[in-house]
Amino acid sequence: MTRIDAKFAELKAQGKRAFVAYVMAGDPDYDTSLELVKGLPAAGVDIIELGVPFTDPMADGPTIQRAGQRALEAGMTLQDSLDLATEFRRVDDTTPIVLMGYYNPIYSRGVDRFLIDAATAGIDGLIVVDLPPEEDDELCIPAQKAGLNFIRLATPTTDDKRLPKVLQNTSGFVYYVSITGITGSAEAQADEVGPEVARIKAKTDLPVVVGFGIKTPEAARAIAGVADGTVVGSAIVSKIGGGEPPAKVLDFVKSLADGAHQA
């Protein structure tokens, strides 16, 4: 059982939904990012989604693209992202960390080396948005053999014919993208998301967590009410990008987490 599996079991026993917060590693710099990440669990975050900055983030909207650019300009690398996770693990050995990014930096490092280093750093799961199920032998299956969950995205365009392929070899949870498009581009609607979550849950026993387009505590509560949890990224990252101090960012995160936990 991974930390992700344990967290969902714990939340289920408590009758609570998961709140997942996304932040970009190294945004706006390593030290500030580490301070933020260390503060997330106390702000109510159940799972941390840690973005790895990349030069061509095709699935990300402008807010997260700018976050990645700030991190890259600050010198952030894949190794630095793993180092940040290692530092976090010195103070927290229970909160799951999902590393989210693109395959190129992993491929450049070498899959075998990366998986060893990620496990050593305390990473629990991976979301690699540019590796489809047809490429599972590249990273998904080796990651699961190394004890890491490989989390797949389902979208509004994932029809019933495609869904089984998406769910194959997925573990930890299914990440349902609530809107068609890039991150931060529209607002998620619970009445539209609910039937899609139910459709996915009919095909898998994994928790289904919804992300993209969730910007307020009210939206987090509404979406968590029709899913096993909710993810907020762009709304948090925009606060960081606006220069708000970590304490204020974490206050905002807590309001989002409280909303999700009230569902």
Side-chain angles (χ1 to χ4, degrees):
M1 179 179 281
T2 66
R3 290 186 187 93
I4 295 170
D5 299 328
K7 177 58 68 175
F8 276 106
E10 174 192 334
L11 290 167
K12 185 175 182 180
Q14 296 172 352
K16 292 172 68 176
R17 312 295 187 177
F19 179 68
V20 184
Y22 171 97
V23 293
M24 179 69 71
D27 176 32
D29 56 66
Y30 182 93
D31 291 340
T32 305
S33 180
L34 179 59
E35 181 181 352
L36 280 165
V37 172
K38 284 182 175 179
L40 291 176
V45 173
D46 299 302
I47 299 173
I48 297 168
E49 192 179 334
L50 190 64
V52 177
F54 181 53
T55 53
D56 187 23
M58 61 184 181
D60 296 318
T63 299
I64 292 179
Q65 284 186 20
R66 287 191 290 268
Q69 193 59 41
R70 289 191 296 269
L72 290 170
E73 288 173 357
M76 200 70 178
T77 64
L78 174 58
Q79 182 59 54
D80 292 329
S81 302
L82 295 174
D83 290 345
L84 192 150
T86 299
E87 286 299 312
F88 173 80
R89 284 283 172 241
R90 297 186 194 279
V91 298
D92 186 315
D93 195 41
T94 58
T95 304
I97 301 175
V98 175
L99 211 60
M100 182 172 185
Y102 297 83
Y103 186 47
N104 183 276
I106 296 169
Y107 177 79
S108 297
R109 190 181 189 87
V111 167
D112 291 344
R113 179 187 170 197
F114 166 76
L115 290 174
I116 291 169
D117 293 345
T120 301
I123 301 299
D124 304 289
L126 303 174
I127 300 174
V128 182
V129 296
D130 54 349
L131 273 183
E134 287 76 12
E135 305 295 335
D136 274 358
D137 288 339
E138 285 284 324
L139 181 61
C140 172
I141 292 171
Q144 307 224 57
K145 288 180 179 177
L148 278 71
N149 290 130
F150 198 89
I151 297 147
R152 190 84 67 195
L153 275 64
T155 75
T157 60
T158 306
D159 60 20
D160 289 338
K161 183 178 179 181
R162 179 66 174 169
L163 184 59
K165 191 71 174 176
V166 170
L167 296 175
Q168 177 184 314
N169 297 324
T170 299
S171 64
F173 60 91
V174 179
Y175 187 138
Y176 179 68
V177 176
S178 65
I179 57 175
T180 302
I182 54 177
T183 57
S185 60
E187 292 193 15
Q189 302 297 325
D191 59 343
E192 297 174 3
V193 168
E196 290 299 298
V197 170
R199 181 171 69 93
I200 296 168
K201 289 181 72 67
K203 302 292 184 181
T204 181
D205 293 329
L206 291 171
V208 179
V209 175
V210 176
F212 285 49
I214 302 161
K215 304 174 183 179
T216 66
E218 295 75 21
R221 181 178 183 179
I223 295 298
V226 298
D228 297 301
T230 185
V231 186
V232 179
S234 294
I236 297 169
V237 171
S238 67
K239 300 282 186 185
I240 298 169
E244 293 201 12
K248 287 219 167 187
V249 176
L250 291 169
D251 284 345
F252 176 62
V253 171
K254 185 177 186 306
S255 74
L256 296 164
D258 288 348
H261 291 148
Q262 288 166 7

